[in-house]
Amino acid sequence: MAAAKLQSMPFLTDKSNPIGWVVQGGIEFAADSRRLVQRCTKPDAKEFKKIAVACAIGFAIMGFIGYTVKLVFIPINNIIVGGQ
């Protein structure tokens, strides 16, 4: 029924028309999103554990980098500002 409504108004299906470009873009986005959700599966326990470990390692690395940068810049900041 919705396809029949779009066919009755050809400016909605013409991508050279700004309104048609928006409508067709929305339709394509909806179709792609629907296809993605249908293909997604819930990870099993092994895959979930692997993802969780990778995220934890990433958090630890980023935390270490942030701590190191802060540790290096505290004395540099005191030198620049001239700590009392």
Side-chain angles (χ1 to χ4, degrees):
M1 184 168 159
K5 286 183 179 180
L6 285 178
Q7 295 302 329
S8 66
M9 295 182 275
F11 70 94
L12 290 178
T13 58
D14 182 16
K15 280 195 123 176
S16 63
N17 182 1
I19 295 174
W21 184 79
V22 170
V23 170
Q24 285 301 106
I27 291 171
E28 291 171 7
F29 177 76
D32 291 342
S33 299
R34 184 170 180 259
R35 187 171 31 248
L36 174 69
V37 169
Q38 286 176 343
R39 287 187 55 109
C40 291
T41 58
K42 186 176 179 181
D44 59 349
K46 183 179 178 183
E47 185 179 8
F48 179 78
K49 185 176 179 182
K50 185 186 287 187
I51 293 169
V53 167
C55 288
I57 290 171
F59 271 105
I61 290 171
M62 292 301 290
F64 179 75
I65 290 171
Y67 178 75
T68 305
V69 167
K70 186 71 171 176
L71 196 64
V72 167
F73 277 100
I74 287 174
I76 293 173
N77 191 25
N78 285 338
I79 292 170
I80 293 172
V81 174
Q84 300 282 332

